[in-house]
Amino acid sequence: MRRQSILTRHLASAALVAVLAAGLGGCQTMSDVTGSIASRSDPVPDDPRRNIEVYGERYRKNPKDVDAAIAYGQALRVSGQRSQACAVLEQATLATPGNKLLLAAYGRALADNGNSQAAFDVLSRAHSPDNPDWRILSVQGTTLDKLNRHEEARRYYASALRLAPDEPSVLSNLGLSYMLTKELPKAEETLRQAYASARADTRIRQNLALVVGLQGRFAEAETIVKADLPADEAAANVAYLRDMLSRKDGPRISSRAAPVVAKDD
């Protein structure tokens, strides 16, 4: 729907949701910008119902078809069927134990579904110290932030940034981590660094706008949130931002899907 703004779509579609600290007015959820840890055969999520049919049938015919299982799980996630995605990918990991792509997809689905500790544990098996994956490290960081283990989360982001220097999705997750602990100037600085990247996406811009708004600079936040958008979408984004910032219980952004350790394509 047209009225469903880019702010809603992108902030709410991050792969994992970070929970804002109670000190920020009991704020509930902020989206992360994790990064994609999906299979090379992931379907383009323009018609998830069709993908559910196609990949679901393929998976049921052969539960050991890893690409089909991952694509089926992603299609379920994109359509909002997070628990079903977890169930499918759990069974797939039992049928094909040890497959790291499959473990990564399962861990991400668990993170989407709010199973943060389980997600962290599964993702830990999806790569190894001698072959680390920055995308998985970033998602693990977001799960730790949800568990209020913020210092530990930042060590994971730091490891991810050593592998992928200046990666905007990791920087954005790190900025949100600082926001959780009310370190708003540090959050803004980190998000501005992410936003300066040519690879920054709309979610990063919206995260920056929210951090700026949380510091009381509403006019500046509105300018950020509506930049380069058509008039109707800009107005919808501004209205959404104002609503989040004016809530008595703090900004509350629901998460539709999973961690964006990079970005779902």
Side-chain angles (χ1 to χ4, degrees), residues 58-245:
R58 182 174 149 188
Y59 168 71
R60 284 187 289 273
K61 286 182 178 177
N62 180 11
K64 292 189 177 183
D65 184 335
V66 171
D67 286 343
I70 293 173
Y72 184 29
Q74 184 186 357
L76 288 167
R77 282 182 26 241
V78 168
S79 69
Q81 300 180 60
R82 293 182 290 237
S83 296
Q84 294 91 324
C86 289
V88 166
L89 290 166
E90 180 182 22
Q91 290 303 310
T93 60
L94 293 174
T96 313
N99 184 285
K100 294 192 182 301
L101 276 177
L102 196 52
L103 286 167
Y106 179 36
R108 168 135 179 203
L110 287 167
D112 290 350
N113 202 40
N115 306 105
S116 300
Q117 185 62 61
F120 179 85
D121 294 341
V122 170
L123 289 169
S124 296
R125 295 157 49 206
H127 62 158
S128 58
D130 59 337
N131 188 26
D133 186 322
W134 68 266
R135 297 168 180 83
I136 296 176
L137 287 166
S138 188
V139 180
Q140 286 181 287
T142 63
T143 63
L144 290 167
D145 269 326
K146 284 198 69 177
L147 294 166
N148 295 319
R149 293 158 60 182
H150 305 300
E151 290 301 323
E152 191 176 352
R154 291 165 198 170
R155 290 197 290 272
Y156 276 78
Y157 299 137
S159 296
L161 288 169
R162 282 194 291 271
L163 295 171
D166 300 320
E167 167 56 40
S169 63
V170 181
L171 287 169
S172 185
N173 286 341
L174 176 58
L176 293 177
S177 181
Y178 287 131
M179 184 170 59
L180 295 175
T181 53
K182 301 178 288 183
E183 300 172 78
L184 296 181
K186 190 176 288 189
E188 179 182 348
E189 179 185 359
T190 307
L191 284 163
R192 285 196 182 278
Q193 185 181 349
Y195 184 49
S197 170
R199 290 171 288 129
D201 66 14
T202 306
R203 292 167 299 178
I204 292 172
R205 176 173 64 191
Q206 312 307 346
N207 290 340
L208 173 60
L210 183 57
V211 167
V212 169
L214 285 169
Q215 295 177 84
R217 289 153 37 214
F218 305 114
E220 184 181 351
E222 290 185 3
T223 298
I224 294 169
V225 85
K226 66 184 181 183
D228 305 321
L229 292 178
D232 58 342
E233 290 190 356
N237 281 5
V238 168
Y240 193 81
L241 180 66
R242 287 176 177 172
D243 177 64
M244 285 191 295
L245 294 173

